[in-house]
């Protein structure tokens, strides 16, 4: 009996020792896993890994059957599948959950994500066609944990919505709202008054705006779409009469507001539509103003003739069709041109110089207030364009100053004369210009070189000026000349002509 009891005690003791050793090994592991202390006496913490959500995988996507739908989800416990689709906005992500949607008709669908806790996430929408899955839109959460987007779903198309945490983001719950926004406006839109209209668009509820107006063949129209929200760029597109869908090709497009000139061709008069859409990366409301009107003679070729030293007065306003003025400059000789645009300091106006082919030769652009443009021009036809930049308005005065480029020549009537004899000095200004001429005479010192002797002021008449000079001593002499210019001619100068007195 004693030997059996002793044996049982021995077995129990061995089991206890083994249990103690196993516990000693488990405590550091638990401490390391929980980030706790592994010092003697520390209690072991058991870390439970949360199970993945039921919609952790694409194949397990949670189906959305009716709209609007408000869904509560979480990225806690979520994983990333091998070869999971990358976000078109972010690229790689860490933890994702999926939702699926199939709508029985073509419809625009909006998605709003509100992330909880410190979750930074991205919401992606994919269109699945058989085995191919392509991105149709995405948006990252902002500083407030919000993200929103809309997309056009085709009839019976299968779409997947994915909410994924950004790399290194904390994991938390979120709220996902999927709903049908206000339907997009279809052609032709609303009538546009002659004075124009104001409106607004956004990415979710008012995804577009559209207006129609009548244009006649052969008449040029100025179309101006002014974006009135800082940081946002509304887009515009012009569609031909009879357009039934804005999905088709547009006659012209503007990517960030702005103005265009359009002239319908033969037989192309009728009711045109203009669609306005928001910038997708801008999350708030985007305001605009649209106006369409026939272009007048100051807005299209041949433009308003601007004579030399003429002062043209006008007003520019970026919110209407008074966004530019076109002036024609007829240049008859090789000239120095100066254009001065005098405007208030708050006015953001550009001043361009174009040749008769429309190429920009020079531009004083990006400045505020008055600007000056200077350029040498050959004979020909040129255009000056004063236009608005951004949201601005104001009066202006445009001044043209053109001066013919001249050349000046000087010569002695003889290159060598005896002492005491006079010599003629002739100055020629080409083309035949009148105005002040300065002649400077210098003598040569064999030790110190050329020294100033005297200066004579003359007046050129029809390109000629002259004087008589009697050198006071033998030696080497020289003279140069400069033409001071006039209202119609630019200044010019010439180097030295030499004379030897023996």
């Amino acid at each position: 009996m004693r030997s059996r009891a002793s044996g049982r005690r021995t077995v129990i003791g061995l089991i206890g020792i083994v249990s103690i050793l196993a516990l000693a090994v488990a405590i550091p592991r638990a401490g390391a896993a929980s980030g706790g202390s592994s010092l003697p006496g520390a209690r072991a913490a058991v870390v439970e890994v949360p199970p993945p959500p039921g919609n952790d995988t694409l194949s397990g996507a949670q189906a959305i059957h009716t709209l609007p739908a408000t869904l509560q989800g979480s990225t806690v416990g979520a994983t990333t599948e091998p070869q999971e689709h990358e976000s078109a906005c972010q690229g790689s992500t860490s933890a994702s959950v999926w939702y699926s949607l199939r709508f029985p008709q073509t419809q625009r669908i909006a998605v709003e994500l509100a992330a909880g806790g410190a979750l930074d996430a991205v919401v992606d929408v994919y269109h699945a066609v058989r085995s191919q899955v392509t991105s149709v839109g995405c948006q990252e959460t902002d500083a407030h944990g919000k993200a929103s987007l809309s997309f056009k779903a085709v009839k019976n198309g299968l779409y997947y919505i994915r909410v994924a945490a950004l790399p290194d983001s904390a994991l938390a719950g979120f709220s996902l709202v999927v709903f049908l926004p206000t339907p997009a406006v279809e052609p032709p839109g609303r009538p546009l008054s002659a004075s124009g209209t104001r409106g607004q668009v956004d990415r979710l509820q008012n995804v577009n705006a559209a207006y129609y107006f009548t244009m006649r063949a052969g008449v040029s129209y100025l179309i101006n779409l002014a974006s009135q929200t800082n940081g946002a760029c509304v887009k515009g597109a012009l569609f031909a009469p009879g357009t039934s869908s804005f999905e088709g090709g547009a006659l012209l497009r503007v990517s960030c507001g702005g103005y265009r000139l359009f002239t319908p061709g033969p037989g192309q008069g009728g009711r045109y539509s203009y669609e306005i859409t928001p910038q997708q990366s801008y999350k708030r409301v985007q305001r605009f103003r649209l106006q369409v009107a026939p272009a007048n003679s100051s807005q299209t070729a041949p433009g308003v003739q601007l004579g030399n030293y003429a002062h043209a007065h006008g007003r520019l306003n970026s919110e209407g069709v008074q966004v530019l003025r076109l002036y024609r400059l007829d240049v008859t000789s090789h000239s120095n041109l100066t254009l001065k645009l005098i405007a208030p300091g708050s006015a953001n106006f550009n001043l361009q110089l174009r040749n008769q082919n429309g190429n920009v030769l020079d531009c004083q652009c990006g400045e505020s207030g008055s600007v000056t443009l200077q350029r040498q021009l050959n004979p020909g036809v040129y255009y000056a364009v004063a236009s608005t930049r951004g949201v601005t308005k104001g009066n202006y005065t445009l001044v043209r100053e053109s001066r013919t480029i001249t050349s000046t020549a000087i010569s002695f009537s003889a290159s060598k004369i005896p002492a005491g004899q006079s010599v003629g000095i002739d100055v020629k200004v080409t083309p035949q210009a009148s105005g002040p001429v300065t002649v400077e005479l210098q003598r040569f010192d064999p030790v110190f070189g050329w020294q100033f002797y005297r200066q004579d002021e003359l007046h050129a008449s029809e390109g000629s000026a002259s004087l008589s000079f009697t050198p006071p001593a033998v030696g080497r002499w020289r003279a140069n000349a400069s033409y001071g210019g006039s209202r119609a001619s630019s200044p010019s100068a010439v180097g030295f002509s030499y004379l030897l007195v023996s």
Side-chain angles (χ1 to χ4, degrees), residues 117-254:
L119 173 63
D120 294 312
V122 59
V123 56
D124 286 272
V125 178
Y126 301 93
H127 182 203
V129 179
R130 297 177 63 84
S131 61
Q132 302 301 312
V133 178
T134 58
S135 173
V136 296
C138 62
Q139 189 67 47
E140 291 185 34
T141 54
D142 58 17
H144 305 287
K146 308 291 186 180
S148 59
L149 61 90
S150 66
F151 64 97
K152 188 173 183 179
V154 298
K155 181 179 180 181
N156 292 323
L158 176 59
Y159 293 86
Y160 290 104
I161 302 172
R162 183 183 69 170
V163 178
L166 300 184
D168 300 325
S169 169
L171 303 183
F174 59 83
S175 175
L176 184 70
V177 181
V178 184
F179 61 97
L180 300 178
T182 303
V185 179
E186 298 295 334
R190 299 167 56 189
L192 180 68
S193 68
S195 59
T197 187
R198 298 180 187 272
Q200 63 184 42
V201 289
D202 60 77
R203 300 185 311 167
L204 295 182
Q205 289 290 1
N206 302 296
V207 295
N208 74 335
Y211 303 89
Y212 69 83
F213 41 85
T214 300
M215 293 196 288
R216 294 184 290 120
V219 178
S220 295
Y221 293 83
L222 196 63
I223 305 171
N224 182 38
L225 174 62
S227 181
Q228 297 185 306
T229 300
N230 290 334
C233 287
V234 293
K235 300 178 181 179
L238 178 68
F239 292 86
T243 296
S244 59
S245 172
F246 289 135
E247 298 296 326
L251 298 175
L252 61 85
R253 294 182 183 273
V254 293

Side-chain angles (χ1 to χ4, degrees), residues 302-316:
V304 178
Q305 186 170 15
L306 187 65
N308 198 15
Y309 289 96
H311 288 60
H313 305 281
R315 180 175 178 82
L316 298 175

Side-chain angles (χ1 to χ4, degrees), residues 12-348:
I12 292 172
L14 291 173
I15 292 174
I17 294 171
V18 172
S19 299
I20 292 171
L21 291 174
L23 181 60
V25 173
I27 287 175
R29 291 180 180 174
S34 63
S37 173
S38 59
L39 296 174
R43 297 182 62 184
V46 178
V47 178
E48 294 185 2
V49 178
N55 58 343
D56 184 44
T57 62
L58 177 64
S59 60
Q62 179 180 340
I64 302 173
H65 298 291
T66 59
L67 296 180
T70 301
L71 308 165
Q72 303 300 323
S74 178
T75 57
V76 176
T79 62
T80 302
E81 297 181 85
Q83 298 181 340
E84 184 167 316
H85 296 281
E86 289 192 341
S87 170
C89 291
Q90 169 62 31
S92 61
T93 53
S94 62
S96 61
V97 291
W98 295 84
Y99 301 86
S100 65
L101 174 68
R102 190 187 294 272
F103 209 71
Q105 63 187 29
T106 298
Q107 176 69 55
R108 180 163 292 277
I109 297 175
V111 179
E112 288 187 331
L113 173 68
L119 173 63
D120 294 312
V122 59
V123 56
D124 286 272
V125 178
Y126 301 93
H127 182 203
V129 179
R130 297 177 63 84
S131 61
Q132 302 301 312
V133 178
T134 58
S135 173
V136 296
C138 62
Q139 189 67 47
E140 291 185 34
T141 54
D142 58 17
H144 305 287
K146 308 291 186 180
S148 59
L149 61 90
S150 66
F151 64 97
K152 188 173 183 179
V154 298
K155 181 179 180 181
N156 292 323
L158 176 59
Y159 293 86
Y160 290 104
I161 302 172
R162 183 183 69 170
V163 178
L166 300 184
D168 300 325
S169 169
L171 303 183
F174 59 83
S175 175
L176 184 70
V177 181
V178 184
F179 61 97
L180 300 178
T182 303
V185 179
E186 298 295 334
R190 299 167 56 189
L192 180 68
S193 68
S195 59
T197 187
R198 298 180 187 272
Q200 63 184 42
V201 289
D202 60 77
R203 300 185 311 167
L204 295 182
Q205 289 290 1
N206 302 296
V207 295
N208 74 335
Y211 303 89
Y212 69 83
F213 41 85
T214 300
M215 293 196 288
R216 294 184 290 120
V219 178
S220 295
Y221 293 83
L222 196 63
I223 305 171
N224 182 38
L225 174 62
S227 181
Q228 297 185 306
T229 300
N230 290 334
C233 287
V234 293
K235 300 178 181 179
L238 178 68
F239 292 86
T243 296
S244 59
S245 172
F246 289 135
E247 298 296 326
L251 298 175
L252 61 85
R253 294 182 183 273
V254 293
S255 60
C256 190
Y259 51 87
R260 294 290 188 276
L261 189 74
F262 182 79
T263 307
Q268 295 178 358
R271 188 171 67 181
Y272 286 75
S273 293
Y274 197 84
E275 183 193 27
I276 302 165
T277 53
Q279 178 183 341
Q280 291 300 314
S281 60
Y282 191 86
K283 298 181 180 180
R284 295 184 292 277
V285 168
Q286 303 169 44
R287 295 177 175 82
F288 65 85
R289 189 177 191 279
L290 175 68
Q291 187 176 8
V292 180
N296 58 40
S297 59
S298 68
Q299 297 169 323
T300 185
V304 178
Q305 186 170 15
L306 187 65
N308 198 15
Y309 289 96
H311 288 60
H313 305 281
R315 180 175 178 82
L316 298 175
N317 187 346
S318 63
E319 293 190 342
V321 292
Q322 307 301 321
V323 290
L324 86 159
R325 288 292 185 273
L326 180 68
Y327 297 92
R328 188 179 75 255
L329 286 64
D330 297 320
V331 177
T332 58
S333 62
H334 189 202
S335 304
N336 285 315
L337 171 69
T338 299
L339 288 175
K340 297 178 181 179
L341 183 67
I342 304 169
S346 60
N348 297 322

